Amino acid sequence: MTDEEYMVLFKPELDFWESGKNIYRYRRISDQEIDTLKSGYLWLSFFKDVNDPFDGTANFQKTYFPADTVNLITRVGIEKFRPNKVLFDDLTNINGSSWEPQMLGVIKEFSKYYKMCSFSQSNNNNLMWSHYGDSHRGMVLEFDYRKDMECFGQPYIVRYQGEIPEVNLVSGDPQAIIQLMCTKSSEWEYEQELRIVQPHNGHKLHYNPFALRRIIFGCNTYKEDIEKVKSALHNHSHIIFSQCYMDN
């Protein structure tokens, strides 16, 4: 892959990086969520546990997976998604005669090891407030992911399309990796989703407390919930608290 091809493939991510924008996470206020704030961690979910059952799926073309895929994956920085050497080696050993069982086995292992955490590019999306922010009774967490690149890395921007992608593994095209990890139905486009994807032993991914920059409460957030959140973060004076309101 040339530098020009790399720039085209990851143009959405590079554009977002250069924009200097922060990322947002809509949350319902609960005792568990307050614990995540107090302890400073993100909850990583398996692909199979997300709300879209087609997320992380693809139609795979039946062709062998060549050894130079490893080099291409490394070239675009996806080598960090290597849960173990055995699985990584499996990707280089698939041949035409036994393609289907081997490839399905690798994908099954993929779904076991990789976990993800979702964010949005927007902090004022009414549908997001309704679906993930407890109908404006919750909150939005604003993160500056650049404050902790070890945790967040470069978030991937979800691509939306009308059909399940057909992933072409011929020549080890790295676009296939992006299609698998970051493609959703166009029905979800309103989310403006970004996600971090990591091979992680547990579900808790701890972040630098200074990465959490602001908490925005909904226009219907209960006062007692606001106080619970502020109390949990009373040692973090850098965090800004604000609240939505109805504009007449």
Side-chain angles (χ1 to χ4, degrees):
M1 172 180 273
T2 67
D3 288 342
E4 290 182 356
E5 290 171 330
Y6 175 89
M7 294 291 286
V8 170
L9 176 58
F10 289 101
K11 187 177 188 305
E13 282 77 13
L14 294 171
D15 286 348
F16 187 81
W17 173 279
E18 292 175 359
S19 73
K21 295 178 180 177
N22 290 340
I23 58 179
Y24 305 94
R25 188 158 165 77
Y26 291 77
R27 306 304 293 163
R28 177 189 297 270
I29 297 176
S30 65
D31 290 341
Q32 179 179 348
E33 193 62 36
I34 289 175
D35 179 66
T36 69
L37 291 173
K38 186 183 297 185
S39 302
Y41 66 85
L42 299 168
W43 183 263
L44 298 176
S45 300
F46 287 110
F47 275 94
K48 65 182 181 63
D49 294 330
V50 298
N51 53 11
D52 180 3
F54 299 103
D55 200 344
T57 63
N59 294 321
F60 294 94
Q61 293 183 3
K62 292 187 178 182
T63 184
Y64 74 98
F65 201 103
D68 64 354
T69 296
V70 174
N71 294 328
L72 288 164
I73 286 175
T74 302
R75 172 67 180 83
V76 298
I78 311 295
E79 77 278 4
K80 65 181 178 180
F81 303 125
R82 185 162 66 176
N84 59 51
K85 188 176 186 300
V86 174
L87 175 58
F88 197 58
D89 288 345
D90 284 346
L91 297 177
T92 69
N93 296 325
I94 294 176
N95 58 62
S97 62
S98 58
W99 184 93
E100 190 164 14
Q102 290 187 64
M103 194 65 223
L104 292 176
V106 169
I107 299 306
K108 185 176 181 180
E109 290 300 308
F110 176 95
S111 67
K112 288 181 182 179
Y113 287 102
Y114 290 104
K115 300 184 183 77
M116 56 166 284
C117 187
S118 296
F119 302 83
S120 177
Q121 299 182 52
S122 171
N123 64 8
N124 60 356
N125 186 308
N126 281 333
L127 283 176
M128 294 291 285
W129 270 111
S130 296
H131 296 164
Y132 303 106
D134 196 17
S135 298
H136 262 282
R137 293 187 293 268
M139 59 186 172
V140 170
L141 312 179
E142 179 177 341
F143 290 95
D144 181 349
Y145 63 93
R146 292 162 291 267
K147 297 289 186 182
D148 191 347
M149 295 300 293
E150 183 176 350
C151 169
F152 293 93
Q154 169 62 62
Y156 290 98
I157 293 178
V158 171
R159 281 74 165 165
Y160 300 95
Q161 61 185 59
E163 299 178 352
I164 294 176
E166 184 174 87
V167 174
N168 183 3
L169 298 179
V170 177
S171 301
D173 183 0
Q175 177 66 36
I177 306 297
I178 300 300
Q179 286 177 313
L180 183 62
M181 294 191 303
C182 300
T183 302
K184 295 182 71 171
S185 167
S186 55
E187 296 171 329
W188 299 93
E189 193 166 3
Y190 72 91
E191 293 183 338
Q192 297 180 264
E193 184 181 351
L194 306 101
R195 55 177 52 162
I196 56 175
V197 182
Q198 295 211 13
H200 199 267
N201 292 329
H203 287 280
K204 296 180 179 181
L205 181 64
H206 288 271
Y207 57 82
N208 182 330
F210 287 97
L212 179 58
R213 307 305 298 171
R214 181 166 62 136
I215 294 181
I216 307 168
F217 298 107
C219 60
N220 294 324
T221 305
Y222 301 121
K223 289 183 179 181
E224 53 266 34
D225 284 340
I226 293 175
E227 292 307 314
K228 285 180 182 179
V229 172
K230 289 183 175 181
S231 177
L233 297 171
H234 69 278
N235 288 327
H236 302 284
S237 58
H238 67 281
I239 296 176
I240 298 170
F241 296 99
S242 60
Q243 187 171 11
C244 299
Y245 61 92
M246 299 290 288
D247 189 352
N248 295 327

